[in-house]
Amino acid sequence: MSDRPVVVVTRRLPDAVHDALRGAFDARLNPEDRPLGPEGLRGALATADALLTTVTDSVTADLLAAEPRRTRLVANFGVGFNNIDVEAAKARGVAVSNTPDVLTDATADLAMTLLLMVARRTGEGERHVRNGQWTGWRPTHMLGAHVTGKTLGLVGMGRIARAVAQRAHHGFQMKVIYHDPYPPPPDVARALGAEPRDTLEQVLRQADFVSLHCPASPETHHLMNRERLALMRPEAFLVNTARGDVVDEAALVEALVAGRIAGAGLDVFEREPQVTQALTTMDNVVLLPHLGSATTETRVAMGMRAFENLQRFFAGQPLRDRVV
Ligand code: 8YV
């Protein structure tokens, strides 16, 4: 027995983060990395002072309502927190924190990866070589879409979108346009070469590449629905490193089948880890398994940021990254 706070860590984290957690708390780690599921989470909420959760843990209103509950902080590992019912947490006096900033560059890098991959057909090309189908160089083989100088439309202009704008504008001389209901100060956008548009629809009509960077919320659920996908140009590509349910996946499949858009690069899906089967058969679609922040450096930094939130909480200090 110890009088240190009990912290249930729902998934396996990098060793350095485990060491830090063990050093400060009675940390209940998950080295086998088996998801807890609703029953495991229910038990954790009843027995732990805090939870360190990930996108794979659904912390629902029902779970938060169960009594007796010991947990007073849910420290989410990730900038997104749509896996947690934050209104229910707030109503029950459970604090929630996230890990912004530290994953901005890794996620922006991955958005550019998807953009380049889908435009230059690199997934398809790699499959072609690996399958032994390559018969030799020819001038008209696997021609993709040019990236440099094209127009990138950003949906949302928060930290990650700005980092994408920086790469796209200063690295690839792209024209960057964006729409965000809570826009950044004009000088911030100007330094990134990014021009605002009054409506999302304008962005969709004008962009060669549309990249999604809004949080998942009831307002953004299926933001990219059939009607909005139809506004995109037939030569345009959709990139999603935000959250799967920002896109109506069935409507996206329809748009791709009908050739209403040229392709999609997706890191997130509506029902992870399930991926709509039709997408897996399309060569103009690049599919990644939610790798946005998946670099060693970033995952350590995310864990240390969650650790910092836990430490502050139990020291009675304000959370660095309070969500509610
Ligand atoms: C994480 C993410 O890998 O931060 C986010 O919102 O989507 C990813 O960086 C994931 O959330 C882990 O919990």
Side-chain angles (χ1 to χ4, degrees):
M1 292 297 284
S2 96
D3 52 8
R4 300 194 302 173
V6 174
V7 177
V8 166
V9 180
T10 65
R11 302 303 299 261
R12 177 162 193 254
L13 298 177
D15 289 344
V17 183
H18 278 179
D19 291 346
L21 289 163
R22 266 193 298 245
F25 307 118
D26 179 355
R28 313 278 163 90
L29 305 178
N30 183 359
E32 270 134 36
D33 206 20
R34 279 197 211 102
L36 266 56
E39 279 320 302
L41 286 172
R42 190 185 298 277
L45 285 161
T47 54
D49 297 298
L51 267 48
L52 196 165
T53 54
T54 75
V55 70
T56 57
D57 305 302
S58 285
V59 183
T60 61
D62 274 0
L63 285 177
L64 288 161
E67 294 289 349
R69 177 179 40 73
R70 176 163 166 180
T71 296
R72 290 180 300 125
L73 169 67
V74 178
N76 207 42
F77 177 93
V79 67
F81 45 80
N82 62 320
N83 54 304
I84 301 167
D85 189 325
V86 291
E87 288 310 317
K90 189 175 173 187
R92 303 206 170 261
V94 177
V96 176
S97 62
N98 66 344
T99 62
D101 306 321
V102 290
L103 46 70
T104 299
D105 284 328
T107 308
D109 289 349
L110 198 90
M112 289 309 294
T113 303
L114 282 172
L115 187 156
L116 289 162
M117 282 184 78
V118 73
R120 299 300 300 272
R121 303 173 62 175
T122 59
E124 191 184 348
E126 229 237 351
R127 286 191 290 280
H128 189 73
V129 174
R130 282 181 191 267
N131 293 340
Q133 292 165 320
W134 191 29
T135 55
W137 188 90
R138 50 202 193 277
T140 54
H141 186 211
M142 252 188 214
L143 304 186
H146 205 69
V147 170
T148 296
K150 291 287 180 69
T151 298
L152 170 64
L154 298 171
V155 178
M157 198 49 171
R159 301 177 195 82
I160 297 171
R162 293 178 209 180
V164 172
Q166 162 81 24
R167 285 154 176 72
H169 182 72
H170 294 291
F172 292 86
Q173 288 79 50
M174 295 179 88
K175 172 173 175 173
V176 179
I177 58 176
Y178 68 92
H179 175 74
D180 191 322
Y182 309 97
D187 55 318
V188 170
R190 219 174 296 121
L192 299 168
E195 298 171 18
R197 293 291 180 268
D198 292 334
T199 64
L200 169 60
E201 285 69 20
Q202 285 173 297
V203 171
L204 299 178
R205 284 197 187 92
Q206 294 169 20
D208 298 302
F209 297 89
V210 172
S211 189
L212 305 179
H213 300 285
C214 52
S217 69
E219 293 77 50
T220 61
H221 181 82
H222 285 189
L223 184 74
M224 292 303 291
N225 56 17
R226 181 179 296 125
E227 292 70 32
R228 293 210 179 85
L229 285 163
L231 298 178
M232 287 177 61
R233 297 145 43 104
E235 315 80 43
F237 298 89
L238 180 71
V239 172
N240 190 4
T241 54
R243 279 293 180 269
D245 67 358
V246 174
V247 178
D248 177 343
E249 214 164 277
L252 175 62
V253 168
E254 259 178 47
L256 288 161
V257 169
R260 281 198 293 275
I261 66 171
L266 307 173
D267 187 44
V268 287
F269 302 88
E270 252 195 286
R271 287 168 290 274
E272 294 179 14
Q274 287 169 51
V275 175
T276 302
Q277 213 269 332
L279 291 171
T280 66
T281 65
M282 296 175 180
D283 263 330
N284 56 341
V285 173
V286 178
L287 305 167
L288 295 179
H290 201 145
L291 293 180
S293 63
T295 71
T296 303
E297 293 89 334
T298 300
R299 289 285 163 84
V300 170
M302 290 165 68
M304 297 313 287
R305 187 80 169 229
F307 173 64
E308 186 183 339
N309 281 303
L310 287 158
Q311 271 192 313
R312 288 193 188 213
F313 185 78
F314 290 113
Q317 295 164 0
L319 291 172
R320 177 151 182 200
D321 308 300
R322 179 180 281 278
V323 175
V324 291

